[in-house]
Structures are given as C-alpha cells and as structure tokens.
Amino acid sequence: MARPEQVLLLEPQHELKFRGPFSDVVTTNLKLSNPTDRNVCFKVKTTAPRRYCVRPNSGIIDAGTSINVSVMLQPFEYDPNEKSKHKFMVQSMLAPPDMTDMEGVWKEAKPEELMDSKLRCVFEMPAENEKTHDMESNKMSSSLLKSESSSLSGKSLSSTLDDGEVKKIMEECKRLQMEAQRLREENKQIKEDDGLRMRKGNIMSSPHASGSMKREEGLSARSVALILLFFVIGVIVGNFVL
C-alpha cells in the first residue's frame, strides 16, 4: 500500500543549499508548515548524522502553524570534484488526539500512517571575485564602524567636559600632588625619628613611641589614599585631554 502524501509544506521543497567556505559551521533553514486542522508529529533524519546538527530534529507542529528547523553543517575539507551524496528526510504523521507519549506513538505507528519527504544537500563555493568582494565589504564596514565610534566618543567627551571643568580638575590634581608630597616628607621624617629611638632601645617601652607609630600608620594610610586618588584623577584627565 502506497504511503499517504505529505501533509507538511516544506520550504525549500527539494534541496538544502549550503554556501561555503566550509572552514566554519554553515547553517541553512528548513521551514515546515502545517496547513491542516490537526497537529502533526515530525522527525528530521539524515544519511550523515555526524556531519550535521539539526535543531529541532523532532516535535509537534500545531494546526495552522509552522516551525523553522536549523540544519548546521559541520566544518570539513571541501572538494569541488566530489558531489554530495547527503540526503535529508522529513517524516511526519497526524498526532492522535489523546497523545501523551510521542516516542511511543512513533513506535506504534503503522506504515500507512507515515508520510515522508526527501531533500538532497547541495554545496556551493563562492567564486574568487565574490570572496574578494565580501572581504572588501567586511573591511569597509569595520572601518566605518571604527570611525563612527571614534567620532561619537569625541563628541561625547567634548559635551561632557568644558574648559572650565578641565581647569578645575587640573588645579585639584596639583593641590593633591602638593598634599601628597608634603605627607611623604612628613612620613619620611617620622620614620627617621622612630628609627633613631629604636637604636636607643626605647621604642618598645616608650608610650610616646607607640603613639608615634600609630600616627605614622594613620599618615601612611592617608598618604596612600591620596596618592591613589591623584593617580585615578590623573588617568581620567589624561584620557580626556588626549
């Protein structure tokens, strides 16, 4: 008994075309439409399962709806003299009204309930002039994007800071630099004084020395914080000026 005619509408109907180069994954789409008033189960099979990744490869298409199946060809060494023998088959059947287990329905399906459509795979390699054109187009697009991003960044910087604000930041940086220098000198003097007291053997017993060490720690922490703040502001201003 002949199998019933396929109820699903396939787009494309007969060929799945893959356009190179094939050094990376190449994807083509297969659209499955269900024009009937019943849900339809489907499966997508291939003669070369290790060469393709199909998502989704099975499922249910509701009545009056469609689904796009992505067929991804894995990278391989293309030989123009070798014709592709790969084929795909879309198998379908009308879903029972009370279906709960799709795998069980497939196993119990009778041959006269199954419908199928076959498609062959076609590999296309672009000509050399098309490759060159594509590469030039990609280069032009990337250069345009870079120029637009640089002009936009320049406009955003100029609109963010005016001359008065830059001058204020520069003055604040100078003030912080002088303050940091003063703290470094004061810190150095404290270390020299404490070193002298340590050589005399009074550093561990003298309360005044303990207070001096605490003051040194406080000044050192403050000095480090101011130096870091000055460095960050300097980097920001440097980026704006450049």
Side-chain angles (χ1 to χ4, degrees):
M1 182 178 178
R3 289 192 176 187
E5 185 179 354
Q6 176 69 268
V7 296
L8 296 178
L9 301 178
L10 279 63
E11 185 181 345
Q13 295 182 355
H14 306 295
E15 294 181 344
L16 289 176
K17 293 184 178 181
F18 299 88
R19 187 173 177 82
F22 301 102
S23 56
D24 201 353
V25 176
V26 180
T27 303
T28 189
N29 292 319
L30 172 63
K31 184 178 181 180
L32 305 178
S33 302
N34 178 12
T36 69
D37 57 356
R38 292 183 58 180
N39 295 345
V40 176
C41 302
F42 76 94
K43 279 186 177 183
V44 181
K45 300 179 179 180
T46 177
T47 56
R50 295 185 179 181
R51 298 286 293 274
Y52 298 89
C53 181
V54 182
R55 293 291 183 274
N57 59 3
S58 64
I60 300 176
I61 306 176
D62 295 335
T65 64
S66 61
I67 188 172
N68 286 321
V69 177
S70 296
V71 182
M72 291 161 277
L73 172 63
Q74 303 306 303
F76 72 102
E77 292 291 336
Y78 175 70
D79 184 0
N81 298 321
E82 181 183 354
K83 292 185 179 181
S84 173
K85 298 180 181 179
H86 302 166
K87 293 181 181 180
F88 275 81
M89 181 176 70
V90 177
Q91 197 171 46
S92 64
M93 66 176 177
L94 297 175
D98 55 348
M99 184 185 68
T100 57
D101 181 13
M102 188 170 63
E103 288 300 323
V105 171
W106 281 108
K107 290 180 181 179
E108 297 174 1
K110 299 177 181 179
E112 59 269 18
E113 295 175 343
L114 300 177
M115 300 164 282
D116 60 61
S117 299
K118 295 180 180 179
L119 303 94
R120 68 186 188 94
C121 298
V122 178
F123 299 153
E124 296 180 347
M125 180 64 75
E128 291 298 326
N129 57 350
E130 293 181 2
K131 288 183 184 178
T132 305
H133 177 71
D134 293 340
M135 292 176 64
E136 291 177 353
S137 299
N138 291 334
K139 289 180 181 179
M140 289 178 63
S141 300
S142 60
S143 62
L144 285 174
L145 288 173
K146 288 180 181 178
S147 61
E148 288 178 1
S149 61
S150 61
S151 61
L152 288 173
S153 61
K155 289 179 181 178
S156 61
L157 289 177
S158 60
S159 61
T160 303
L161 292 177
D162 54 21
D163 294 340
E165 292 176 336
V166 173
K167 186 177 180 181
K168 289 180 181 179
I169 293 177
M170 294 295 292
E171 291 176 354
E172 180 67 15
C173 287
K174 290 181 180 179
R175 188 187 68 79
L176 289 173
Q177 185 178 15
M178 294 175 63
E179 179 69 14
Q181 180 64 25
R182 185 185 65 80
L183 288 173
R184 281 197 296 268
E185 293 176 355
E186 184 177 351
N187 192 30
K188 182 179 179 181
Q189 184 63 39
I190 291 173
K191 288 182 178 179
E192 291 177 354
D193 294 342
D194 288 345
L196 182 61
R197 281 191 289 271
M198 288 177 66
R199 285 193 295 270
K200 293 180 178 180
N202 298 326
I203 186 68
M204 299 302 296
S205 59
S206 175
H208 176 71
S210 177
S212 175
M213 290 179 65
K214 292 181 181 178
R215 182 178 60 178
E216 175 191 351
E217 292 176 357
L219 288 173
S220 297
R222 183 182 177 189
S223 175
V224 170
L226 287 173
I227 291 172
L228 289 176
L229 179 60
F230 165 69
F231 174 75
V232 172
I233 295 176
V235 170
I236 295 174
V237 173
N239 288 334
F240 286 149
V241 172
L242 293 176

